[in-house]
């Protein structure tokens, strides 16, 4: 997850923040919802990529 975050945001400190935020979201899920997730690593990676995308500045369409 760190590699994904770092490649998307370009900063180690920001990548660490993103991964920490993803884990916080994971642990805020009710236990029943966490049990329903078939692949927690994939879920966390998806969350990391979505957090990174939302943190990137919007680029105008060309």
């Amino acid at each position: 997850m760190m590699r994904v975050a770092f490649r998307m945001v370009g900063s180690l400190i920001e990548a660490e923040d993103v991964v920490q935020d993803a884990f916080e979201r994971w642990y805020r899920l009710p236990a029943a919802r966490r049990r329903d997730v078939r692949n927690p690593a994939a879920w966390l990676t998806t969350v990391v990529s979505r957090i990174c995308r939302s943190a990137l500045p919007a680029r105008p369409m060309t």
Side-chain angles (χ1 to χ4, degrees):
M1 287 179 287
M2 279 296 296
R3 289 180 185 180
V4 170
F6 179 74
R7 289 183 72 151
M8 292 184 77
V9 297
S11 162
L12 183 59
I13 292 172
E14 287 182 51
E16 288 173 341
D17 290 344
V18 166
V19 172
Q20 182 177 0
D21 188 18
F23 273 103
E24 287 175 8
R25 292 179 188 201
W26 172 255
Y27 286 109
R28 278 192 304 228
L29 284 176
R33 291 269 324 266
R34 277 187 270 148
R35 282 191 298 271
D36 289 340
V37 175
R38 291 184 188 177
N39 188 339
W43 187 93
L44 285 163
T45 302
T46 300
V47 171
V48 163
S49 65
R50 289 177 180 170
I51 294 170
C52 289
R53 286 189 63 185
S54 68
L56 294 174
R59 294 184 182 168
M61 303 220 20
T62 56

